[in-house]
Structures are given as C-alpha cells and as structure tokens.
Amino acid sequence: SLWGDALPLPTQTYLDGSNGAASARYVTGIADSGSDIRITATNHMFNSSGGILLDGSGALVSGDGRIDDGSADGSFASTTGITWLSGPSQFIMAATTLDGGTLPIFVSTDGTGNAWSRVGGTSTDFLTTNFIDVSGETAGLSDGKQLVLAGTSSYIDGSTSHYGSGYNEIDVTNAPSTWTVNTSWDSYSFALNTNYSVSDLAEATITGMSIPAGGSYLYASTRSEGIWKIDLSTDKPSWTRE
C-alpha cells in the first residue's frame, strides 16, 4: 500500500495513567529528527506541571522523563509544540505554565532530545504553542541572523485572560545556550516591520505554521483571523491575508 505495513506499537506503559508521577494520558506533541523521536505527554489535558518526555518506543527519556523547568522547587513542566529544527539540528518545545513570570521555552543541547536547556531572553508571558524553522530561508536570514518563529496563543491564567500576540522570533544563529526570544515587534528581522506590526496577524492566536514542500511561501493559520502567507524567497517580505 501507499503507506506500507504498519508495525505494532510497544505497550504504552507510561501513557496509561498507572505509573504515578511518571504517568500520562495525553500526548501533547511528537517530533522526529530522522534518527530520534521525542514525545511529550501529561497526565491531564490542561496540566501545567508533571509533563514527561518519551522516546519512540514509549520509554522515558533521561531516566525519569521529567522536564526540569529550571525552578528551585524541583517541579517539572508540561510542554507542548515540540518540533525538530533542521537548521540548528535541535528539538524545541514550550512550557504551558508560568514560572517566575515567564512561560519558558526549552531547546535540546545535544541534538538527540536527551539534554535540555531553558531559553532565556524574555520577561513576558506569551504562551507558545508551535514553532517553524525559517533559518535556511532568505527571509529567515535577515540582519545577519538565523531565525525560528514561535507562534503564540491566548490562554487563561486563573481568572486572567491573556491574548495571542502573533509570533515571536528566536535567534538561533549560535549555540543553543545563546538563543534568545525576541518579543519586540520594532526589532524583528523576519518580515517588514511596518507591515507586520499593523496587521491583525500580530495580535492573533497562531494555531499552526507550515511551508509546503518545494514551495517558497510560509502559511500561518490563525484563530478567527484567517490564513496568512509570506514569500520566504525575499528579504523583509510582507504578510498578506488569504
């Protein structure tokens, strides 16, 4: 058949909710580097802590599978949006809960998704739910940087509503330990700033971004603001709404 014969999955020991602190019921993301598969999961759909990281066989990664959120209390984060970035050859994912006033982003530091580091550079609380690597595209190489875009989403923290803010830029030019998240539209490098900052996209929840194979356009799907596209083959291009 077109898809070939499906292989049986191993017993999902850590996805049946029976393993205490290291158990989960909901998969929040899957990413494949071509040699390593990483799966993020949590015990409850909207959990803000207790996330675990699995490999393609369903085994815990790095011993206990916990994703250290970098805080002093020893808690571990739930994450979403895990993505393989082919340019810098690293995995990336985002926490779903505030820690010290921020919503952290984590990047692998070994290329295999076994060792992770918290990406700094922002004191804001934008919830990131998806990523796309544009570091090899003309538009993603502006201002001498290599860029990854991080799509944001609205969310509710207790009784407080936070709103989506389009995408943030992550400068992945150098080693993961130096990556920073840029949330200031005025200093963005990817698109024409005067175009992006006045668009509805800049204040929208981005539900997903994709670059169709063989194409030069990036498409961004939003919640209630339609689909947008941008030409990656030019420097500082403009976004247009479909």
Side-chain angles (χ1 to χ4, degrees), residues 180-213:
T180 56
V181 183
N182 185 4
T183 62
S184 175
W185 297 342
D186 291 339
S187 59
Y188 276 7
S189 298
F190 176 66
L192 185 66
N193 287 342
T194 53
N195 158 263
Y196 176 72
S197 62
V198 300
S199 71
D200 292 332
L201 178 63
E203 297 182 357
T205 285
I206 295 181
T207 57
M209 293 181 284
S210 65
I211 305 170

Coordinates of all heavy atoms in Angstrom, one line a residue, residues 180-213:
T180 N 18.0 33.5 22.1 CA 17.1 34.5 22.9 C 15.8 34.6 22.1 O 15.7 34.4 20.9 CB 17.7 35.9 23.0 OG1 18.1 36.4 21.7 CG2 19.0 35.8 23.8
V181 N 14.7 34.9 22.9 CA 13.4 35.1 22.3 C 13.1 36.6 22.2 O 13.2 37.3 23.2 CB 12.3 34.4 23.2 CG1 10.9 34.6 22.6 CG2 12.7 33.0 23.4
N182 N 12.8 37.1 21.0 CA 12.6 38.5 20.8 C 11.1 38.7 20.7 O 10.4 38.1 19.9 CB 13.3 38.9 19.5 CG 13.1 40.4 19.3 OD1 12.5 41.1 20.1 ND2 13.6 40.9 18.2
T183 N 10.5 39.5 21.6 CA 9.1 39.8 21.6 C 8.7 41.2 21.2 O 7.6 41.6 21.3 CB 8.5 39.5 23.0 OG1 9.0 40.4 24.0 CG2 8.7 38.1 23.4
S184 N 9.8 41.9 20.8 CA 9.6 43.3 20.4 C 9.4 43.5 18.9 O 10.4 43.3 18.2 CB 10.8 44.2 20.9 OG 10.7 45.5 20.5
W185 N 8.2 43.8 18.5 CA 8.0 43.9 17.0 C 9.0 44.9 16.3 O 9.4 44.7 15.2 CB 6.6 44.4 16.8 CG 5.5 43.6 17.2 CD1 5.6 42.2 17.6 CD2 4.1 43.9 17.5 NE1 4.4 41.7 18.0 CE2 3.4 42.7 17.9 CE3 3.4 45.1 17.3 CZ2 2.1 42.7 18.2 CZ3 2.0 45.1 17.6 CH2 1.4 43.9 18.1
D186 N 9.3 46.0 17.0 CA 10.1 47.0 16.4 C 11.5 46.5 16.0 O 12.2 47.1 15.1 CB 10.3 48.2 17.3 CG 9.0 49.0 17.5 OD1 8.1 48.8 16.6 OD2 8.9 49.7 18.5
S187 N 12.0 45.5 16.7 CA 13.3 44.9 16.4 C 13.3 43.6 15.7 O 14.3 42.8 15.7 CB 14.1 44.9 17.7 OG 13.5 44.0 18.6
Y188 N 12.1 43.2 15.2 CA 12.0 41.9 14.4 C 12.8 42.0 13.1 O 13.0 43.1 12.6 CB 10.6 41.6 14.1 CG 9.8 40.9 15.2 CD1 10.3 40.7 16.5 CD2 8.5 40.4 15.0 CE1 9.6 40.1 17.5 CE2 7.8 39.8 16.0 CZ 8.4 39.6 17.2 OH 7.6 39.0 18.2
S189 N 13.3 40.9 12.7 CA 14.1 40.8 11.5 C 13.5 40.1 10.3 O 13.9 40.2 9.2 CB 15.5 40.1 11.8 OG 16.2 40.9 12.7
F190 N 12.5 39.3 10.6 CA 11.9 38.4 9.6 C 11.1 39.1 8.5 O 11.5 39.0 7.3 CB 11.0 37.3 10.3 CG 10.3 36.4 9.3 CD1 11.0 35.5 8.6 CD2 8.9 36.4 9.2 CE1 10.4 34.6 7.7 CE2 8.3 35.6 8.4 CZ 9.0 34.7 7.6
A191 N 10.1 39.8 8.9 CA 9.2 40.5 7.9 C 9.4 42.0 8.0 O 10.0 42.5 8.9 CB 7.8 40.1 8.1
L192 N 8.8 42.7 7.0 CA 8.8 44.1 7.0 C 8.0 44.6 8.3 O 6.8 44.3 8.4 CB 8.1 44.7 5.8 CG 8.1 46.2 5.6 CD1 9.6 46.7 5.4 CD2 7.3 46.6 4.4
N193 N 8.7 45.3 9.2 CA 8.1 45.6 10.5 C 6.8 46.4 10.4 O 5.8 46.2 11.1 CB 9.1 46.3 11.4 CG 10.1 45.3 11.9 OD1 9.9 44.1 11.9 ND2 11.2 45.8 12.4
T194 N 6.8 47.4 9.5 CA 5.7 48.3 9.3 C 4.5 47.5 8.8 O 3.3 47.9 9.1 CB 6.0 49.5 8.4 OG1 6.5 49.0 7.2 CG2 7.0 50.4 9.0
N195 N 4.7 46.5 8.1 CA 3.6 45.6 7.6 C 3.1 44.7 8.7 O 1.9 44.7 8.9 CB 4.1 44.8 6.4 CG 3.2 43.6 6.2 OD1 3.6 42.5 6.6 ND2 2.1 43.7 5.5
Y196 N 4.0 44.1 9.4 CA 3.6 43.1 10.4 C 2.9 43.8 11.6 O 1.9 43.3 12.1 CB 4.8 42.3 10.9 CG 4.4 41.3 12.0 CD1 3.7 40.2 11.8 CD2 4.9 41.6 13.3 CE1 3.4 39.3 12.8 CE2 4.6 40.7 14.3 CZ 3.8 39.6 14.1 OH 3.5 38.7 15.1
S197 N 3.5 44.8 12.1 CA 3.0 45.4 13.3 C 1.6 46.0 13.3 O 0.9 46.1 14.3 CB 4.0 46.5 13.8 OG 4.0 47.6 12.9
V198 N 1.2 46.4 12.1 CA -0.2 46.9 11.9 C -1.2 45.9 11.4 O -2.4 46.2 11.3 CB -0.2 48.1 10.9 CG1 0.7 49.2 11.4 CG2 0.2 47.7 9.5
S199 N -0.7 44.7 11.2 CA -1.6 43.6 10.7 C -2.4 43.0 11.9 O -1.9 43.0 13.0 CB -0.8 42.6 10.0 OG 0.0 41.8 10.8
D200 N -3.5 42.3 11.5 CA -4.3 41.6 12.5 C -3.5 40.3 13.0 O -3.7 39.8 14.1 CB -5.6 41.2 12.0 CG -6.5 42.3 11.8 OD1 -6.4 43.3 12.5 OD2 -7.4 42.3 10.9
L201 N -2.5 39.9 12.1 CA -1.7 38.7 12.5 C -0.9 39.0 13.7 O -0.7 38.0 14.6 CB -0.8 38.4 11.3 CG 0.2 37.2 11.5 CD1 -0.6 35.9 11.7 CD2 1.1 37.1 10.3
A202 N -0.5 40.2 14.0 CA 0.4 40.5 15.1 C -0.3 40.3 16.4 O 0.4 40.3 17.5 CB 1.0 41.9 14.9
E203 N -1.6 40.3 16.4 CA -2.3 40.2 17.7 C -3.2 39.0 17.7 O -4.2 38.9 18.5 CB -3.1 41.5 18.0 CG -2.3 42.7 18.1 CD -3.1 43.9 18.4 OE1 -4.3 43.9 18.5 OE2 -2.4 45.0 18.7
A204 N -2.9 38.0 16.8 CA -3.7 36.8 16.7 C -3.1 35.6 17.4 O -1.9 35.6 17.7 CB -3.9 36.5 15.2
T205 N -4.0 34.6 17.7 CA -3.5 33.3 18.1 C -3.1 32.6 16.8 O -4.0 32.4 15.9 CB -4.6 32.6 18.8 OG1 -4.7 33.1 20.2 CG2 -4.3 31.1 18.9
I206 N -1.9 32.1 16.7 CA -1.5 31.3 15.6 C -1.6 29.8 16.0 O -1.0 29.3 16.9 CB 0.0 31.6 15.2 CG1 0.1 33.1 14.7 CG2 0.5 30.7 14.1 CD1 1.4 33.5 14.3
T207 N -2.5 29.1 15.2 CA -2.7 27.7 15.5 C -1.7 26.8 14.8 O -1.6 25.6 15.2 CB -4.1 27.3 15.1 OG1 -4.3 27.6 13.7 CG2 -5.2 28.1 15.9
G208 N -1.0 27.3 13.8 CA -0.1 26.5 13.1 C 0.6 27.2 12.0 O 0.0 28.2 11.4
M209 N 1.8 26.8 11.7 CA 2.6 27.4 10.5 C 3.2 26.3 9.7 O 3.7 25.3 10.3 CB 3.7 28.4 11.1 CG 3.1 29.6 11.7 SD 4.4 30.8 12.3 CE 5.0 29.9 13.8
S210 N 3.2 26.5 8.4 CA 3.8 25.4 7.6 C 4.4 26.0 6.3 O 4.0 27.1 5.8 CB 2.7 24.4 7.2 OG 1.7 24.9 6.4
I211 N 5.4 25.3 5.7 CA 6.0 25.6 4.5 C 5.8 24.4 3.6 O 6.4 23.4 3.7 CB 7.5 25.9 4.6 CG1 7.7 27.0 5.6 CG2 8.1 26.3 3.2 CD1 9.2 27.2 6.0
P212 N 4.8 24.4 2.6 CA 4.6 23.3 1.7 C 5.9 22.9 1.0 O 6.7 23.7 0.6 CB 3.5 23.8 0.8 CG 2.8 24.9 1.5 CD 3.9 25.5 2.4
A213 N 6.1 21.6 0.9 CA 7.3 21.0 0.3 C 7.5 21.6 -1.1 O 6.6 21.6 -1.9 CB 7.2 19.5 0.2

